């Protein structure tokens, strides 16, 4: 009953949202809408100009609403021979988010060299100094390590780059034509996928300010991995994972892709557009939200579109804008004004939109 009440409040408070007037679609129909776009790309307008962005929609037939919880100690990944493993527990918390696995990490990083800096490069042909692996081989090894076994969580590659070392020339710019014959490595970022959809994080992670009503970021189950590798005998990775704890709806309706594009166009020039950014891709992902009936209980995963700025390997991919995949409304990332209620999970079912 509380969820239904929250849904009604949400509908009344959002004049752009009308269950009776809006049209809703399955995830399969959204993919069909995307196929009408040239080469699978969109043109997004922001304060800095117009940019072509790639479009990523998973090949799934249903989009459920689920709850997640923390991992169990017996889900620890296998320890490589000669390696070490430790649990990842934020601060002095009694819960665990995952593990750190290390095999000759000190050899991977290498000794400091005066006048030398790390240079990171994107691309399938990017090569790490002295690594016996290509980028493709490094990804294949990490995929096998993370996704071996039918009962394990599914992790999918999000982004990858090669870290090499270059001599620093006089001044601030590195000398690109003098590579250092020393240890380089590949950095691979993975996201945990539930029912084929990547888990991006908790919605409050993307607020400029977080109110006291919101959950603290450290108290949330995560679903991510950073895998750094020089060779199969020299690597380390941080693995944070979640377990699915329940299904609240087997499938939910989505707004049209054109509604999402329109919301992103309207974001240009508004105060809630996270500039400066150079958007490169638009993705359909899960964000976790609070259970309205138990804010400290298991988070609930709901679908959102994230417009990402991801053109620099030295920095993390940045969300330039977030759009609710059901309502087509831009998420206000400014300081919370609703006492955190926008962190509460509210969703429409097919019965709601009939």
């Amino acid at each position: 009953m509380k969820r239904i009440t929250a849904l009604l409040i949400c509908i009344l408070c959002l004049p752009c949202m009308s269950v009776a007037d809006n049209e809703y679609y399955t995830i399969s129909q959204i993919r069909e809408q995307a196929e009408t776009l040239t080469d699978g790309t969109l043109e997004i307008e922001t304060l800095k100009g117009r940019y072509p962005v790639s479009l990523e929609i998973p090949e799934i037939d249903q989009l459920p609403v689920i709850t997640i919880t923390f991992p169990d100690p017996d889900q620890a990944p296998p320890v490589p021979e000669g390696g070490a493993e430790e649990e990842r527990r934020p601060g002095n918390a009694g819960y665990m988010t995952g593990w750190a696995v290390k095999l000759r990490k000190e050899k991977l990083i290498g000794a400091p060299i005066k006048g030398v800096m790390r240079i990171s490069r994107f691309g399938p042909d990017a090569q790490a100094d002295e690594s016996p692996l290509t980028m493709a081989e490094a990804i294949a090894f990490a995929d096998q390590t993370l996704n071996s076994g039918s009962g394990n969580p599914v992790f999918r590659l999000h982004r990858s780059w090669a870290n090499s070392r270059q001599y620093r020339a006089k001044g601030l710019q590195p000398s690109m034509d003098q590579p250092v014959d020393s240890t380089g490595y590949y950095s691979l970022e993975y996201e945990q996928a539930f029912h084929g959809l990547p888990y991006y994080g908790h919605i409050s992670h993307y607020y400029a300010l977080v109110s006291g009503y919101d959950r603290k970021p450290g108290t949330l189950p995560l679903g991510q991995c950073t895998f750094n590798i020089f060779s199969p005998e020299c690597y380390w990775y941080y693995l944070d994972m979640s377990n699915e704890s329940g299904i609240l709806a087997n499938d939910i309706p989505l707004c049209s892709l054109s509604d999402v594009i329109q919301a992103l166009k309207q974001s240009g020039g508004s105060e809630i557009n996270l500039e400066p950014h150079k958007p490169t891709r638009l993705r359909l992902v899960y964000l976790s939200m609070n259970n309205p009936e138990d804010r400290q209980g298991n988070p609930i995963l709901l679908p959102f579109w994230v417009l990402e700025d991801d053109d620099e390997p030295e920095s993390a991919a940045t969300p330039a804008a977030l759009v609710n995949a059901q309502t087509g409304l831009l998420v206000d990332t400014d300081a919370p004004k609703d006492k955190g209620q926008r962190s509460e999970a509210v969703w429409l079912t097919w019965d709601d939109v009939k």
Side-chain angles (χ1 to χ4, degrees):
M1 177 60 71
K2 188 171 182 179
R3 194 196 77 80
I4 296 174
T5 302
L7 172 61
L8 292 175
I9 293 174
C10 177
I11 293 173
L12 291 173
C13 292
L14 300 176
C16 296
M17 177 180 174
S18 172
V19 174
D21 297 336
N22 286 7
E23 292 188 16
Y24 295 88
Y25 304 89
T26 65
I27 181 63
S28 298
Q29 291 172 322
I30 296 299
R31 279 200 308 274
E32 293 173 359
Q33 294 174 14
E35 291 173 359
T36 64
L37 302 172
T38 305
D39 298 327
T41 62
L42 298 172
E43 189 174 64
I44 299 298
E45 183 175 358
T46 74
L47 294 178
K48 296 180 69 176
R50 303 176 70 90
Y51 298 98
V53 300
S54 63
L55 185 62
E56 297 183 14
I57 307 175
E59 292 286 338
I60 56 178
D61 296 324
Q62 289 187 314
L63 211 165
V65 177
I66 66 172
T67 58
I68 58 171
T69 190
F70 295 102
D72 298 322
D74 60 5
Q75 292 180 287
V79 182
E81 184 176 354
E85 179 181 88
E86 59 186 38
E87 294 179 350
R88 285 170 55 81
R89 296 176 179 271
N92 296 320
Y95 56 86
M96 175 183 63
T97 62
W99 301 265
V101 179
K102 307 173 185 178
L103 178 61
R104 301 179 66 203
K105 177 181 177 181
E106 69 286 350
K107 298 293 184 181
L108 183 149
I109 297 175
I113 303 176
K114 185 177 181 180
V116 169
M117 65 180 297
R118 290 284 183 189
I119 300 294
S120 301
R121 295 188 178 93
F122 277 142
D125 298 327
Q127 180 70 32
D129 288 347
E130 293 297 292
S131 172
L133 302 176
T134 64
M135 175 73 80
E137 290 170 338
I139 292 172
F141 179 85
D143 284 348
Q144 176 64 26
T145 302
L146 295 177
N147 296 311
S148 60
S150 59
N152 291 351
V154 176
F155 282 86
R156 294 184 177 174
L157 185 68
H158 177 212
R159 62 202 302 263
S160 58
W161 63 97
N163 300 290
S164 296
R165 304 210 284 190
Q166 303 282 344
Y167 286 107
R168 182 186 289 274
K170 291 183 179 180
L172 298 178
Q173 296 300 317
S175 175
M176 302 300 292
D177 58 352
Q178 298 183 61
V180 179
D181 291 332
S182 182
T183 305
Y185 58 92
Y186 299 97
S187 291
L188 314 174
E189 287 187 0
Y190 285 82
E191 297 171 323
Q192 187 174 355
F194 292 94
H195 298 269
L197 201 65
Y199 172 30
Y200 204 70
H202 193 269
I203 193 168
S204 66
H205 292 169
Y206 308 104
Y207 292 157
L209 296 173
V210 178
S211 74
Y213 182 89
D214 292 309
R215 298 171 65 130
K216 303 301 180 185
T219 63
L220 295 162
L222 305 173
Q224 58 198 21
C225 173
T226 300
F227 201 114
N228 301 286
I229 176 172
F230 173 76
S231 73
E233 293 76 36
C234 184
Y235 62 88
W236 94 91
Y237 63 92
Y238 301 121
L239 177 68
D240 292 315
M241 58 170 281
S242 301
N243 287 327
E244 182 176 328
S245 55
I247 297 180
L248 304 180
N250 291 319
D251 188 35
I252 56 174
L254 303 176
C255 70
S256 70
L257 189 56
S258 61
D259 288 343
V260 176
I261 297 171
Q262 184 61 30
L264 292 172
K265 288 181 178 179
Q266 291 174 347
S267 72
S270 73
E271 293 182 356
I272 59 177
N273 184 256
L274 297 182
E275 294 288 353
H277 290 296
K278 180 182 177 181
T280 56
R281 58 184 170 188
L282 179 64
R283 310 169 60 216
L284 183 63
V285 300
Y286 271 133
L287 287 179
S288 62
M289 305 184 76
N290 301 335
N291 184 338
E293 299 180 5
D294 182 6
R295 187 163 57 89
Q296 297 303 320
N298 290 344
I300 297 172
L301 299 193
L302 293 177
F304 285 79
W305 292 94
V306 56
L307 180 66
E308 276 190 328
D309 167 10
D310 190 18
D311 63 346
E312 294 292 339
E314 290 87 354
S315 59
T318 305
L322 294 168
V323 176
N324 187 301
Q326 287 201 291
T327 66
L329 296 177
L330 199 69
V331 175
D332 186 346
T333 54
D334 284 339
K337 302 173 182 178
D338 60 358
K339 298 182 180 180
Q341 289 181 352
R342 65 180 168 179
S343 294
E344 292 189 344
V346 177
W347 66 94
L348 296 167
T349 68
W350 284 107
D351 289 336
D352 294 326
V353 301
K354 286 181 179 178

